[in-house]
Amino acid sequence: MAEISHPPMEQLQDLEYCIDSNPPWPETVLLAFQNYILMLGSSAFIPALLVPAMGGSNGDKARVMQTLLFVAGIKTLLQALFGTRLPAIVGGSFAYVVPIAYIINDSSLQKISNDHERFIHTMRAIQGALIVASSVQIILGYSQVWGLFSRFFSPLGMAPVVGLVGLGMFQRGFPQLGNCIEIGLPMLLLVIGLTQYLKHVRPFKDVPIFERFPILMCVTIVWIYAIILTASGAYKGKPTLTQDHCRTDRANLISTAPWFKFPYPLQWGPPTFSVGHSFAMMAAVLVSMIESTGAYMAASRLAIATPPPAYVLSRGIGWQGIGVLLDGLFGTGTGSTVLVENVGLLGLTRVGSRRVVQVSAGFMIFFSTLGKFGAVFASIPVPIYAALYCVLFGLVAAVGLSFLQFTNMNSMRNLTIIGLSLFLGISIPQFFVNYWDARHYGLVHTNAGWFNAFLNTIFMSPVTVGLIIAVFMDNTMEVERSVKDRGMPWWVKFRTFRGDNRNEEFYNLPFNLNRFFPPT
């Protein structure tokens, strides 16, 4: 047999900047702004989806978006400083849509005839549910329970979980791009062309601008193209759905957004609390915690860091719980998770620097107070973002599959676990999604609405289903005989903070805080 030329490698070799190395300041600022532009896609889409259903106006939608951006900046900064310390953007999560839809359709709220009043009361109900549900993440994180559970993880178990972090987002890729193919397809081809075929072209000194700043360049070019199409009347007489996805003047955010608005806690009034709402929201908290765990694993690999040890992972989940608490106090309309698209951007630009994410958090906080400024960028058509997601989500999925290099893929046991967890991780949630209708009824449909929302949320998450299957099978099938096949000889040293001396370099707290919070 010919000699294997690509042996397993703990760290990716062709990245330019790792977690604790920093690009020059001009590059750092541009890269941070690029992260800000990318996370605007989710930050604008979630309020656009939920606020009208709550009874809110375009002005309410703009205000919720500002609040979401402001709190995202705070959460990202806290996570990068005191949480996992990985270069990960923490923003709004789609995992909360099902329980929020349950709250929106609560009969006591639907009875309110005035739309604005119904919006305010619904927002307060969502806030109360988020505040109570955040305790789950805070307790699981700071009590180290989630860290103890992570002892059951292995490279074999994490490969499908991280893979599904990307693959599970397929509905936000080409299906959204196809809603305006004349904008989305050129965007997709342009991103691939610049980042893969022109990445070695350096017109300005030694900076590979096409590889380093593809989002800024591609979004600018295609956005201008979309503006020209809109201004020239290309969509006159087209169906409403086409105009909503293609036109650059349909978001109705710029005219309704205030010039300056500083979000503050309890700005919508005092939260209201309901046991059913809170239990339903706890499912989304669990799902976002699992999804973020997979995203942290991918971010660590793309930042050339070691996989986060149990102590660091628990610390990050605890701070994410604090983030959900802030969501409830400020009223962002949804909970928190690590944004997968920004994790993929680490690999696309080959920059895994923590400082870039910290500066990006500053952009989120600053620009969220300037309503008109953020609204301009939030008017970028969704198909432009969908084209980016096709590349970035795919990249994160591939990072997950790269964990398989540490396992024995000639083992039928391993092939069975990987195949089942990947296939059912996509198939089962899609089965549940098919039963999700305009009235927000899912496959689980009993007289207890909170129970329906709880189970539908769990089983509509590809990452959660994948983790349940992969971790259960990996820890119950021929465990003792498969230690090497599972990749445990490589993985075991990353279970504890002291297991690898590189952990201190990557994950030590700033300001010498480890003296007061010693790692375990």
Side-chain angles (χ1 to χ4, degrees):
M1 181 184 293
E3 183 179 353
I4 297 175
S5 59
H6 302 289
M9 304 197 74
E10 287 190 352
Q11 296 174 317
L12 298 175
Q13 299 300 303
D14 54 351
L15 299 178
E16 294 288 336
Y17 296 96
C18 69
I19 186 171
D20 52 5
S21 62
N22 303 309
W25 272 108
E27 284 188 48
T28 296
V29 171
L30 287 174
L31 286 163
F33 189 70
Q34 187 167 242
N35 270 280
Y36 165 73
I37 293 295
L38 182 59
M39 66 88 59
L40 275 176
S42 295
S43 301
F45 191 78
I46 292 175
L49 179 69
L50 297 175
V51 171
M54 295 162 62
S57 62
N58 288 325
D60 295 325
K61 184 167 63 176
R63 192 173 167 192
V64 170
M65 191 192 77
Q66 282 183 266
T67 306
L68 185 59
L69 282 170
F70 182 81
V71 177
I74 296 174
K75 293 183 294 189
T76 299
L77 203 55
L78 290 174
Q79 192 65 244
L81 285 173
F82 308 116
T84 60
R85 306 217 68 212
L86 289 165
I89 301 288
V90 182
S93 171
F94 285 88
Y96 291 80
V97 168
V98 174
I100 289 173
Y102 159 64
I103 295 173
I104 290 172
N105 286 278
D106 189 295
S107 58
S108 62
L109 295 170
Q110 288 295 316
K111 290 178 182 177
I112 302 173
S113 57
N114 183 277
D115 282 347
H116 182 69
E117 189 178 342
R118 178 161 59 88
F119 166 75
I120 293 296
H121 280 80
T122 304
M123 178 61 80
R124 291 176 182 176
I126 294 170
Q127 287 182 257
L130 285 170
I131 289 170
V132 174
S134 68
S135 62
V136 173
Q137 270 193 353
I138 293 172
I139 292 171
L140 289 178
Y142 291 125
S143 67
Q144 295 293 311
V145 170
W146 188 245
L148 291 174
F149 178 73
S150 71
R151 301 295 177 93
F152 294 102
F153 297 167
S154 71
L156 186 73
M158 281 295 97
V161 171
V162 180
L164 287 167
V165 167
L167 294 176
M169 299 285 193
F170 71 93
Q171 291 286 7
R172 293 177 61 197
F174 209 88
Q176 291 284 348
L177 182 155
N179 287 327
C180 189
I181 200 76
E182 61 267 32
I183 291 176
L185 190 58
M187 181 68 183
L188 177 60
L189 295 176
L190 190 59
V191 171
I192 295 173
L194 290 186
T195 59
Q196 304 306 315
Y197 293 95
L198 296 179
K199 62 183 179 182
H200 298 301
V201 177
R202 303 188 178 192
F204 301 105
K205 296 183 179 179
D206 295 327
V207 181
I209 61 169
F210 296 131
E211 181 181 61
R212 197 78 83 233
F213 311 112
I215 307 296
L216 293 180
M217 288 187 289
C218 294
V219 167
T220 301
I221 293 169
V222 180
W223 191 18
I224 291 173
Y225 166 61
I227 291 172
I228 293 171
L229 287 178
T230 301
S232 64
Y235 300 112
K236 284 184 180 179
K238 297 289 184 180
T240 302
L241 186 64
T242 301
Q243 295 198 41
D244 288 342
H245 285 96
C246 297
R247 293 182 68 100
T248 57
D249 57 358
R250 300 288 282 196
N252 296 318
L253 290 174
I254 300 174
S255 59
T256 56
W259 282 103
F260 180 83
K261 184 72 178 180
F262 194 87
Y264 56 91
L266 307 183
Q267 59 187 339
W268 310 106
T272 57
F273 299 92
S274 163
V275 175
H277 295 171
S278 299
F279 271 111
M281 198 66 79
M282 286 178 186
V285 167
L286 291 172
V287 166
S288 68
M289 181 172 65
I290 293 169
E291 291 176 349
S292 293
T293 298
Y296 288 136
M297 293 294 179
S300 67
R301 190 146 177 78
L302 290 170
I304 322 182
T306 54
Y311 169 78
V312 173
L313 197 57
S314 287
R315 191 173 72 192
I317 293 302
W319 277 105
Q320 191 167 313
I322 298 292
V324 176
L325 178 62
L326 291 175
D327 288 322
L329 291 173
F330 278 83
T332 62
T334 187
S336 304
T337 194
V338 175
L339 296 185
V340 181
E341 56 267 36
N342 290 83
V343 174
L345 188 60
L346 302 177
L348 193 68
T349 60
R350 302 175 193 264
V351 177
S353 170
R354 182 189 296 126
R355 177 184 289 175
V356 169
V357 166
Q358 291 170 337
V359 175
S360 183
F363 278 132
M364 295 175 217
I365 295 171
F366 177 71
F367 289 130
S368 66
T369 62
L370 305 177
K372 298 288 186 187
F373 185 89
V376 169
F377 289 103
S379 66
I380 297 171
V382 171
I384 291 179
Y385 281 109
L388 294 172
Y389 297 157
C390 289
V391 177
L392 299 172
F393 292 158
L395 183 55
V396 172
V399 170
L401 297 181
S402 73
F403 281 104
L404 294 176
Q405 66 183 304
F406 305 109
T407 68
N408 177 13
M409 290 314 292
N410 291 312
S411 162
M412 282 307 301
R413 170 194 183 273
N414 290 0
L415 290 173
T416 301
I417 293 172
I418 292 296
L420 273 175
S421 53
L422 281 176
F423 185 82
L424 293 180
I426 293 174
S427 186
I428 291 176
Q430 187 59 38
F431 179 63
F432 274 75
V433 168
N434 288 341
Y435 281 86
W436 184 255
D437 61 17
R439 296 173 299 171
H440 306 303
Y441 292 152
L443 184 64
V444 181
H445 185 48
T446 67
N447 292 327
W450 66 268
F451 181 75
N452 303 337
F454 191 97
L455 284 188
N456 285 324
T457 299
I458 296 292
F459 289 103
M460 285 171 69
S461 166
V463 183
T464 305
V465 173
L467 180 133
I468 292 171
I469 295 170
V471 173
F472 176 79
M473 293 183 70
D474 189 35
N475 286 275
T476 56
M477 288 175 54
E478 303 175 350
V479 180
E480 295 299 326
R481 291 193 299 169
S482 306
V483 173
K484 289 185 178 180
D485 288 348
R486 300 167 64 207
M488 294 309 294
W490 172 74
W491 184 264
V492 70
K493 62 183 176 182
F494 302 120
R495 283 182 166 181
T496 60
F497 193 86
R498 304 297 182 191
D500 191 295
N501 55 19
R502 292 170 295 178
N503 288 337
E504 291 191 20
E505 175 190 353
F506 300 139
Y507 299 117
N508 260 351
L509 291 171
F511 317 121
N512 210 16
L513 288 174
N514 279 69
R515 291 183 304 167
F516 308 103
F517 305 99
T520 55

